[in-house]
Amino acid sequence: MFKVIVFACMLQAPEQCLKFEDTRGLKATIVQCEERIGEMANSIKSLLPQYGIVGAKCEHKGDMT
């Protein structure tokens, strides 16, 4: 299971950054996680055009049991 995290910083003030975590829950595979990163990045860019995506990761949270 993977948790999606995306980081964005303000273009005019790069020290002002935000951390976004997926509220839709954990993803079962790394592929699903990476796809969700793309979705979230596009949404962030649309909603907050003054911010640029500076990083993202799929944080491993354990396996399904």
Side-chain angles (χ1 to χ4, degrees), residues 36-53:
R36 182 67 178 133
I37 285 173
E39 293 171 1
M40 288 177 62
N42 287 335
S43 293
I44 293 165
K45 288 188 267 187
S46 293
L47 295 169
L48 300 169
Q50 68 274 30
Y51 281 80
I53 305 302

Side-chain angles (χ1 to χ4, degrees), residues 46-65:
S46 293
L47 295 169
L48 300 169
Q50 68 274 30
Y51 281 80
I53 305 302
V54 296
K57 67 179 182 176
C58 294
E59 186 175 275
H60 189 255
K61 291 296 201 181
D63 298 318
M64 291 187 345
T65 55

Side-chain angles (χ1 to χ4, degrees), residues 8-18 50-52:
C9 294
M10 187 173 277
L11 299 173
Q12 299 301 320
E15 70 281 355
Q16 294 183 24
C17 299
L18 300 171
Q50 68 274 30
Y51 281 80

Side-chain angles (χ1 to χ4, degrees), residues 16-44:
Q16 294 183 24
C17 299
L18 300 171
K19 175 183 174 183
F20 297 89
E21 296 183 12
D22 191 4
T23 59
R24 294 186 184 170
L26 299 175
K27 303 302 170 215
T29 68
I30 192 74
V31 172
Q32 291 173 337
C33 184
E34 290 170 347
E35 289 173 353
R36 182 67 178 133
I37 285 173
E39 293 171 1
M40 288 177 62
N42 287 335
S43 293
I44 293 165

